[in-house]
Amino acid sequence: MEGRHLLPAYSHLTHLECSACGATYSPDELHSLCRACGKVLYARYDLARAAETMTVAALGARPFSLWRYHEVLPVRDPAQVVSLHEGGTPLLPLPRYGAEIGLSRLLAKDEGRNPTASFKARGLSVAVSRAAELGVRAMAIPSTGNAASALAAYAARAGLEAHVFLADDAPPVMQAECAAYGAHVHLANGLLSEAGRRSRSESGERGWFDLSTLREPYRVEGKKTMGYEVAEQLGWELPDVIIYPTGGGTGILGLWKAFGELEAMGLVRGDWPRIVSVQAEGCAPIARAFAENADHARPWENVRTFAPGLRAPATIGDYLILQIVRESRGTVVTVGDDEMRETRHAVARAEGLDVSYESGATYAAARKLHATGFLQGDETVVVFNTASGLKQGGTEG
Ligand SMILES: *Cc1c(COP(=O)(O)O)cnc(C)c1O
């Protein structure tokens, strides 16, 4: 203990701030949405102090997992970190597929390499670590699959109790995966919205901590590390365009938050990327709101798509996704299931990379956007493989 106060802080977390009304809260107790207006809370840090130790040289000498950015993550005590080595995924050039669709600088951030084979691991490693640090012993999550399996794995790793509420259309392989990690699997008898209602009401009754998308502030913190890594892997430059498949929107929110923090710390400068949100034709609430020039998205009825990560009929982060896409001069693209499937196979054949349907949608979007002139052939375009293709078992029917 002696002299411990002389060590630089592991985290420079200072407060939580509402993304809509600006109300602030102490970060050292559990929070979900803003108590004043019901909107999404963001974690804030003392970035000037973080920048003193998070230098380019210091970062380069740390292990390449998302915890290398610990100064701007919420966990205060390194002993509380629950890790399976998440993050530190490769940014792979796609020369052959890029040439097929006319893009000479197409890169894929391969999130399928994460524990449980999707980028959901990032958010849940950070959220489970922080919840455990604040005394939580049992947690719940509604999911179409990937978030559930990630929670199940990190809860097992931490020795905590996990309750996963799976939508009826969750791929069977993911249900088996959750059970294998010892999670309590609850079938929702409904789609994702119903799973969410059940997760929140049972958590309220039983005292579990509910980790629903954007209803606690720390899954986004894990996901923002994708933005830190892309910047670092491009030599502290940002790409021209990012193409991301959107369900609940935490990926896009996290990336945008990362760019703001990186700029404030002086780690990047210049223009930020144009952000392209990709949705399934059969579940496109954000695309519809973008086309209507609306600030919020109406819930989508009759969700129909193979891609489990895109089966989000509504998200409480709708206003933030729409703001980001507009502010960045980006756009929203929809892709049909047949195109997702064909593109997924085309990428696998051209590049040796087996990607999920959600990721297939981003490559299809890249092709369409080059055809319409939104993308120039020599722009640096980063697409996200949000999950491995190996996780799709059973979804095509
Ligand atoms: C959850 C998920 C998405 C959507 O993620 P958001 O960042 O919440 O919009 C995309 N792809 C896959 C594979 C997912 O599991």
Side-chain angles (χ1 to χ4, degrees), residues 136 181 196 248 310 347 372:
V136 167
Y181 291 125
L310 302 185
V347 171
T372 64

Side-chain angles (χ1 to χ4, degrees), residues 118-120 146 213 223 244-252 309-310 356 358 386-387:
S118 88
F119 83 110
K120 294 290 196 301
N146 283 323
T213 300
K223 291 177 178 182
Y244 202 95
T246 302
T250 54
I252 284 184
L310 302 185
S356 64
E358 295 86 349
T386 45

Side-chain angles (χ1 to χ4, degrees), residues 234-247:
L234 292 175
W236 300 105
E237 301 250 342
L238 298 178
D240 297 307
V241 179
I242 284 180
I243 307 184
Y244 202 95
T246 302

Side-chain angles (χ1 to χ4, degrees), residues 75-216:
V75 177
R76 297 204 186 278
D77 175 359
Q80 295 290 340
V81 168
V82 183
S83 177
L84 292 160
H85 197 106
E86 43 292 322
T89 59
L91 186 63
L92 298 168
L94 300 181
R96 292 160 64 92
Y97 185 73
E100 276 175 34
I101 65 168
L103 294 171
S104 62
R105 299 253 313 142
L106 181 65
L107 302 161
K109 183 72 170 153
D110 191 9
E111 293 293 302
R113 314 287 181 99
N114 274 298
T116 70
S118 88
F119 83 110
K120 294 290 196 301
R122 293 182 187 260
L124 284 152
S125 173
V126 172
V128 168
S129 300
R130 181 64 176 152
E133 183 169 63
L134 294 176
V136 167
R137 289 290 162 265
M139 292 163 287
I141 205 162
S143 174
T144 55
N146 283 323
S149 70
L151 172 62
Y154 286 98
R157 184 76 168 165
L160 303 175
E161 190 176 314
H163 294 268
V164 302
F165 289 82
L166 287 178
D168 291 351
D169 53 4
V173 66
M174 300 200 201
Q175 186 180 330
E177 197 189 352
C178 292
Y181 291 125
H184 300 265
V185 177
H186 307 261
L187 301 178
N189 289 322
L191 301 181
L192 185 62
S193 317
E194 180 57 23
R197 271 190 289 278
R198 287 202 46 203
S199 176
R200 289 190 285 280
S201 87
E202 292 207 26
S203 296
E205 280 166 32
R206 294 168 204 270
W208 306 331
F209 186 58
D210 175 66
L211 288 159
S212 291
T213 300
L214 298 174
R215 284 176 192 265
E216 61 74 54

Side-chain angles (χ1 to χ4, degrees), residues 262-302:
L262 286 165
E263 189 177 84
M265 288 188 284
L267 286 166
V268 299
R269 49 185 59 82
D271 290 341
W272 296 10
R274 313 204 291 288
I275 304 287
V276 178
S277 157
V278 184
Q279 298 209 293
E281 274 172 11
C283 184
I286 299 296
R288 180 171 64 189
F290 183 74
E292 291 172 350
N293 213 14
D295 294 335
H296 285 85
R298 281 176 286 131
W300 192 265
E301 311 280 341
N302 301 321

